[in-house]
């Protein structure tokens, strides 16, 4: 099955200005063999490549900090360090443009969080969006949760294409009418107007976390969700904002005895009483809320025994888990540490059933990575819709994809240089030895400032979103 790649690169600093000025996107079209992901004929593709590029200067606030598809995959939300949320909508297929389906165009953009200051602790609270999670769609509107370090907000995104006219007490321009001039009653009518997408905050969940929120996860009952910081996990009801239940608390009586922190947490996709959380020690705990109100005692404990011969100064740092994700089936879960991705069977706690090395060639570079703080980067991972493939990011704008059935893998690059008109998206290889082939890149040449921390996979199709610093790339398979 061939694949086609659609690449969307959005520089975010002037996105709002471009939308307000109706500046047309600059579109590049080319016809070349392309490369995306797995199939029976692995990694081969043919078709069109489209690149949408907004020109702007690069600002720290433009760095994308989270990427998330909604449950249907028709919408894609991104959050950035400037507290903004941009939602892309997938274009529907039409008779005039039969191959246009798959293109994601800007649907809505709004400011989710603003910078704040905690006067009691003399701390500045950044506006950076840490996580976005969609709620299942129940009606015409869409709902999503977004969070910064301290405050979670529930947003409603709705469309309006009609407006009411013919009010009795005010004129069409909104000014109040003189009551003595009103001699007859009018029935207001709905008149068509240009489509407008509105984002309005419906709930604000605040003041429940002392430490920085690193995870939010919507439960399968679609009524509750959990939020996690370094030491605690809280359970919220979507309709109640002034209180939450503390279901995990690992804070010791004496903070000098603190040995680990919570790094990520997620609800089970089908069992509303089950959730997992990972720690900086490389362990995962599965908890059942039916067992006790406070889930300090885990039901299952997942940990891989460490090989004493390979232990080093950096072992504890690189074993810290930065992301944990349940498979769509709920049978497996995936964890990402600094060098690898591991797949765990929920019925086997002593070791993972699959381990994939993401960038093992960096093991010899851990000292320099420690000095430039890259060793503390938190990479995310994601499943494809059928749980047959997984994806995660790396450095130099590389991202890795692994086929669980064939155990084959590929390294691809998401960068403007590799997406020029009539250019092929080729698999990349990193050379660790002295001699390197023409298409290989030396490990010493990798750019550690270019990193892909956030990725997302369409829940039903082979469409992926990759955030490379301040650029968003979207790839999809070929449409027959």
């Amino acid at each position: 099955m061939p694949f086609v790649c659609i690449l969307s690169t959005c520089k975010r600093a002037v996105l709002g200005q471009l939308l307000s000025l109706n500046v047309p996107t600059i579109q590049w079209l080319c016809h070349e063999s392309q490369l995306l992901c797995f199939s029976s004929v692995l990694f081969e593709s043919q078709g069109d490549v489209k690149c949408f590029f907004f020109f702007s200067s690069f600002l720290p606030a433009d760095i994308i900090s989270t990427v998330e598809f909604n449950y249907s995959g028709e919408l894609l939300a991104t959050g950035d360090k400037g507290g903004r949320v941009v939602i892309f909508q997938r274009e529907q297929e039409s008779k005039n443009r039969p191959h246009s389906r798959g293109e994601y165009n800007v649907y809505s953009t709004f400011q989710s969080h603003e910078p704040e200051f905690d006067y009691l602790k003399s701390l500045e609270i950044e506006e950076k969006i840490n996580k976005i999670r969609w709620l299942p769609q129940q009606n015409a509107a869409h709902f999503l949760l977004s969070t910064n370090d301290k405050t979670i907000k529930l947003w409603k995104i709705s469309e309006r294409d009609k407006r009411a006219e013919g009010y009795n007490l005010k004129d069409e321009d909104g000014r109040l009418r003189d009551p003595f001039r009103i001699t007859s009653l009018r029935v207001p009518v709905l008149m068509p107007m240009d489509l407008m997408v509105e984002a309005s905050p419906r709930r604000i969940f605040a003041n429940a976390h002392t430490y920085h929120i690193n995870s939010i996860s919507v439960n399968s009952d679609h009524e509750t969700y959990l939020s996690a910081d370094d030491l605690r996990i809280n359970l919220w009801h979507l309709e109640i904002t002034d209180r939450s239940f503390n279901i995990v608390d690992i804070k010791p009586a004496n903070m000098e005895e603190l040995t680990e922190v919570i790094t990520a947490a997620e609800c089970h996709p089908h069992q509303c009483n089950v959730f997992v959380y990972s720690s900086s020690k490389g362990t995962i705990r599965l908890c059942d809320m039916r067992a006790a109100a406070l889930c300090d005692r885990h039901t299952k404990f997942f940990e891989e025994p460490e090989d004493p011969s390979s232990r080093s100064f950096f072992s504890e740092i690189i074993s810290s888990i930065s992301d944990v994700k349940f498979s769509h089936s709920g049978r497996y879960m995936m964890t990402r540490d600094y060098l690898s991705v591991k797949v765990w069977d929920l019925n086997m706690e002593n070791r993972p059933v699959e381990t994939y090395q993401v960038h093992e060639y960096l093991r010899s570079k851990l000292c320099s990575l420690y000095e430039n703080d890259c060793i503390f980067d938190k990479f995310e991972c994601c499943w494809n819709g059928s749980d047959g493939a997984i994806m995660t990011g790396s450095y130099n704008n590389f991202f890795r994809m692994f086929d669980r059935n064939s155990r084959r893998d590929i390294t691809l690059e998401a960068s403007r240089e590799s997406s020029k008109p009539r250019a092929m998206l080729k698999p990349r290889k990193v050379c660790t030895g002295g001699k390197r082939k023409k298409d290989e890149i030396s490990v010493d040449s990798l750019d550690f400032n270019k990193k892909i921390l956030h990725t997302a996979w369409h829940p039903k199709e082979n469409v992926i979103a990759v955030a490379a610093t301040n650029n968003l790339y979207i790839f999809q398979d070929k449409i027959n």
Side-chain angles (χ1 to χ4, degrees), residues 208-357:
H209 284 277
T210 305
Y211 306 96
H212 293 175
I213 298 172
N214 56 46
S215 302
I216 51 175
S217 179
V218 180
N219 212 337
S220 59
D221 59 11
H222 303 155
E223 293 183 355
T224 59
Y225 73 93
L226 60 82
S227 60
D229 63 24
D230 291 342
L231 299 180
R232 294 187 178 96
I233 300 177
N234 293 332
L235 181 68
W236 299 83
H237 193 283
L238 285 166
E239 299 294 330
I240 302 172
T241 62
D242 59 350
R243 64 184 181 275
S244 62
F245 295 98
N246 179 224
I247 54 176
V248 172
D249 187 349
I250 65 169
K251 182 180 179 180
N254 182 4
M255 285 294 284
E256 293 181 358
E257 299 174 359
L258 182 67
T259 59
E260 62 180 338
V261 295
I262 298 170
T263 56
E266 187 176 49
C267 297
H268 192 278
H270 307 303
Q271 302 174 32
C272 62
N273 54 285
V274 174
F275 69 95
V276 295
Y277 67 93
S278 58
S279 84
S280 57
K281 276 193 168 182
T283 61
I284 311 102
R285 293 171 174 84
L286 184 142
C287 301
D288 190 336
M289 287 184 279
R290 296 174 300 182
L294 190 62
C295 300
D296 284 347
R297 294 184 178 180
H298 49 267
T299 304
K300 292 186 177 182
F301 183 78
F302 300 85
E303 183 180 25
E304 184 176 26
E306 184 184 10
D307 183 3
S309 62
S310 63
R311 181 164 180 81
S312 69
F313 171 79
F314 305 106
S315 295
E316 189 169 333
I317 300 175
I318 64 175
S319 66
S320 175
I321 294 173
S322 57
D323 195 18
V324 58
K325 295 279 176 62
F326 278 108
S327 63
H328 294 86
S329 66
R331 170 73 186 272
Y332 302 96
M333 66 177 175
M334 171 172 53
T335 60
R336 171 69 206 264
D337 56 44
Y338 189 69
L339 294 179
S340 64
V341 172
K342 297 172 183 176
V343 177
W344 302 77
D345 189 321
L346 294 189
N347 298 320
M348 189 168 73
E349 304 172 49
N350 59 341
R351 61 182 176 85
V353 292
E354 301 164 24
T355 300
Y356 302 97
Q357 299 301 330

Side-chain angles (χ1 to χ4, degrees), residues 30-164:
C30 58
H31 304 275
E32 285 291 343
S33 295
Q34 291 301 320
L35 204 35
L36 177 57
C37 56
F38 345 93
S39 64
S40 54
V41 184
L42 198 66
F43 311 133
E44 291 185 3
S45 66
Q46 293 178 347
D48 295 343
V49 169
K50 300 180 181 179
C51 176
F52 302 94
F53 178 55
F54 294 98
F55 289 96
S56 76
S57 60
F58 169 58
L59 298 172
D62 301 327
I63 296 176
I64 299 174
S65 53
T66 183
V67 182
E68 187 76 10
F69 281 101
N70 72 339
Y71 281 75
S72 66
E74 295 303 302
L75 297 178
L76 171 66
T78 66
D80 64 21
K81 282 193 170 184
R84 296 180 295 263
V85 172
V86 178
I87 301 175
F88 299 86
Q89 184 182 46
R90 196 177 195 187
E91 191 167 312
Q92 299 298 317
E93 186 174 358
S94 64
K95 293 182 180 179
N96 298 330
R97 303 178 64 198
H99 299 292
S100 66
R101 179 168 173 78
E103 296 178 12
Y104 281 82
N105 299 316
V106 175
Y107 178 65
S108 175
T109 177
F110 58 93
Q111 188 73 28
S112 174
H113 287 71
E114 300 281 356
E116 301 175 38
F117 191 82
D118 188 336
Y119 292 97
L120 292 176
K121 298 181 180 178
S122 296
L123 290 175
E124 186 178 356
I125 302 172
E126 290 185 347
E127 64 271 34
K128 172 192 169 189
I129 308 296
N130 291 341
K131 294 290 180 183
I132 290 175
R133 290 291 180 265
W134 290 90
L135 273 63
Q137 189 175 5
Q138 306 291 343
N139 49 41
H142 299 273
F143 290 86
L144 62 83
L145 291 166
S146 64
T147 183
N148 65 350
D149 286 340
K150 298 293 182 183
T151 304
I152 306 163
K153 295 183 180 181
L154 174 66
W155 290 89
K156 177 184 179 181
I157 294 91
S158 55
E159 296 180 355
R160 187 151 62 93
D161 59 359
K162 292 181 176 62
R163 67 172 181 269

Side-chain angles (χ1 to χ4, degrees), residues 12 20 49 78 82 110 133 172 197 199 201 222 226 228 244 249 264 283 347 373 387 397 414 422 429 437 474:
R12 312 286 293 288
S20 62
V49 169
T78 66
F110 58 93
R133 290 291 180 265
E172 302 305 330
V197 181
H222 303 155
L226 60 82
S244 62
D249 187 349
T283 61
N347 298 320
D373 286 343
D387 297 334
N397 277 354
R422 300 194 174 277
K429 291 185 179 179
K437 298 179 182 177
I474 299 175

